[in-house]
Amino acid sequence: MNAQGRLHHKPIGITMGDAAGIGPEIIAKLFSQPLPAPAVVYGDAGVLKRTIKQLGLSPSLAVVELDDIESFSPGHHLQVISRIAPLPASIPAGQINADAGRGAYEYLCHAIDDANSGQLRAIVTAPLHKKAMQLGGADFPGHTEILAQRTGTKHFAMMLANHELRVILVTIHMPLNQVSSNLTQERELQTIRLAHHACKHAGIAHPRIAVAGVNPHAGENGRFGQEEKEIITPAVQQAQREGINASGPFPGDTIFMRARRGEFDIVVAQYHDQGLIPVKYLGVDEGVNVTVGLPFIRTSVDHGTAFDIAGKGLADPSSLKAAFNLAVTMTPPNLH
């Protein structure tokens, strides 16, 4: 069996996220239907059992607790691995809780370690709550930074994708007034390279990359800022010398529309909201968050913990399903 065939026999690891959010519910709903690949959950078995019962999915969906990933065997059950003590049954839905936050962090770390050692095909993450995680002793801005630190990845980026648009970010979680000072030619170039590789992993043979400017009208020849002339344009030119089909910078108010119409395969956005607003405006149900640059595939839902509807049976698993399906189709970095 070749490397690709061996990989397909490995499960995809799904992290439960914050137990007080909608993660357990969307995971239970995902497993209530046939999956296109084997999967194992990193989370809390008790929480999932109670969620399944509340949703009326038992006894057709049974939870099986595993000691470790070596105990996994493909089947119809929802198999769960956890390396920390069970969460209290008293954790209230929809409220910030330190135990739930710590659990979300530990489930993610456990999945990262197993993926890093080659025992998982990919990781798909349900949402965590940053404040709850911080109260639980893990002070990170989000999933992306944990993944990068734990894998020792220096060059990484967040990509959001749906069936109409792909967007990758140069800067991620930082105040808007710090964006310009964090833009460098090297950071810009690395993101363009990551955009190129991300499209390759998605099966696009000749990626077309558009780079957005950071200022109105892409700076208008320096009238509205120098970042385009001094940072973005030189990075695009260097990428072109490396054989990457990159162009820009283009005005941010039109480039996403052009990409959606099919002129480009991906847009390099300069900051968080510039890139995420266009994707999320098209709908979060089918949106997928991908961390590019890791030694393995990681996809995630394009929404948060949704505390306002947690525990009410109203959560839509569409984004989780889309994230899972995308992880199945992507080519892992070590096999490309």
Side-chain angles (χ1 to χ4, degrees), residues 18 75 83 105 111 201 207 211 240 245 299 329:
D18 194 297
R83 66 179 179 189
Y105 173 74
H201 297 321
V211 182
Q240 292 170 344
N245 184 5
T299 66
T329 62

Side-chain angles (χ1 to χ4, degrees), residues 250-309:
F250 298 107
D253 59 355
T254 56
I255 190 56
F256 299 98
M257 175 184 64
R258 293 175 61 187
R260 187 186 179 196
R261 289 176 174 174
E263 289 186 50
F264 302 98
D265 298 302
I266 191 169
V267 177
V268 176
Q270 301 303 320
Y271 56 93
H272 187 277
D273 283 14
Q274 182 190 51
L276 269 58
I277 287 174
V279 177
K280 294 191 176 185
Y281 178 78
L282 295 173
V284 298
D285 290 348
E286 298 296 331
V288 179
N289 183 338
V290 183
T291 305
V292 183
L294 298 173
F296 50 78
I297 294 168
R298 179 263 173 162
T299 66
S300 181
V301 296
D302 187 20
H303 58 72
T305 50
F307 276 178
D308 58 325
I309 62 170

Side-chain angles (χ1 to χ4, degrees), residues 61-74:
L61 182 57
V63 174
V64 177
E65 297 182 59
L66 306 180
D67 293 329
D68 49 43
I69 190 62
E70 287 81 7
S71 305
F72 175 84
S73 60

Side-chain angles (χ1 to χ4, degrees), residues 22-63:
I22 63 172
E25 180 180 338
I26 59 176
I27 288 173
K29 289 178 177 178
L30 179 72
F31 274 84
S32 69
Q33 302 175 358
L35 295 176
V40 62
V41 175
Y42 290 78
D44 186 277
V47 170
L48 288 164
K49 287 178 181 178
R50 291 188 290 274
T51 300
I52 289 169
K53 183 177 180 179
Q54 179 188 5
L55 294 173
L57 298 175
S58 58
S60 59
L61 182 57
V63 174

Side-chain angles (χ1 to χ4, degrees), residues 83-332:
R83 66 179 179 189
I84 64 171
L87 294 176
S90 58
I91 291 179
Q95 296 184 28
I96 296 174
N97 182 278
D99 289 332
R102 185 70 197 184
Y105 173 74
E106 292 292 345
Y107 309 144
L108 177 61
C109 290
H110 194 176
I112 291 171
D113 293 345
D114 283 350
N116 225 14
S117 63
Q119 298 181 90
L120 295 177
R121 178 174 174 176
I123 292 178
V124 178
T125 58
L128 52 75
H129 194 283
K130 298 176 181 63
K131 181 62 177 178
M133 190 172 62
Q134 290 165 1
L135 290 175
D139 191 4
F140 289 88
H143 276 108
T144 306
E145 292 80 4
I146 300 171
L147 285 152
Q149 184 195 77
R150 199 161 186 89
T151 58
T153 302
K154 293 183 178 180
H155 301 299
F156 60 93
M158 177 190 292
M159 181 179 78
L160 271 290
N162 57 32
H163 64 285
E164 296 185 77
L165 193 61
R166 292 183 192 85
V167 175
I168 193 167
L169 305 180
V170 179
T171 62
I172 306 178
H173 297 121
M174 65 176 58
L176 187 58
N177 63 7
Q178 296 179 16
V179 169
S180 289
S181 61
N182 278 275
L183 293 179
T184 65
Q185 287 187 31
E186 180 59 25
R187 190 168 192 169
E188 199 78 34
L189 179 60
Q190 285 292 347
T191 307
I192 296 171
R193 289 168 177 160
L194 288 170
H196 180 77
H197 291 307
C199 288
K200 288 278 193 176
H201 297 321
I204 300 171
H206 304 289
R208 299 163 300 164
I209 302 167
V211 182
V214 68
N215 294 299
H217 302 179
E220 201 168 288
N221 295 317
R223 183 180 180 185
F224 299 133
Q226 299 298 313
E227 290 89 349
E228 285 78 10
K229 294 175 64 176
E230 298 177 358
I231 298 171
I232 301 175
T233 296
V236 170
Q237 292 171 342
Q238 177 58 36
Q240 292 170 344
R241 287 192 287 269
E242 295 177 6
I244 296 174
N245 184 5
S247 53
F250 298 107
D253 59 355
T254 56
I255 190 56
F256 299 98
M257 175 184 64
R258 293 175 61 187
R260 187 186 179 196
R261 289 176 174 174
E263 289 186 50
F264 302 98
D265 298 302
I266 191 169
V267 177
V268 176
Q270 301 303 320
Y271 56 93
H272 187 277
D273 283 14
Q274 182 190 51
L276 269 58
I277 287 174
V279 177
K280 294 191 176 185
Y281 178 78
L282 295 173
V284 298
D285 290 348
E286 298 296 331
V288 179
N289 183 338
V290 183
T291 305
V292 183
L294 298 173
F296 50 78
I297 294 168
R298 179 263 173 162
T299 66
S300 181
V301 296
D302 187 20
H303 58 72
T305 50
F307 276 178
D308 58 325
I309 62 170
K312 298 178 181 179
L314 302 175
D316 185 346
S318 297
S319 185
L320 182 63
K321 183 177 181 180
F324 189 88
N325 290 341
L326 181 60
V328 172
T329 62
M330 291 180 68
T331 304

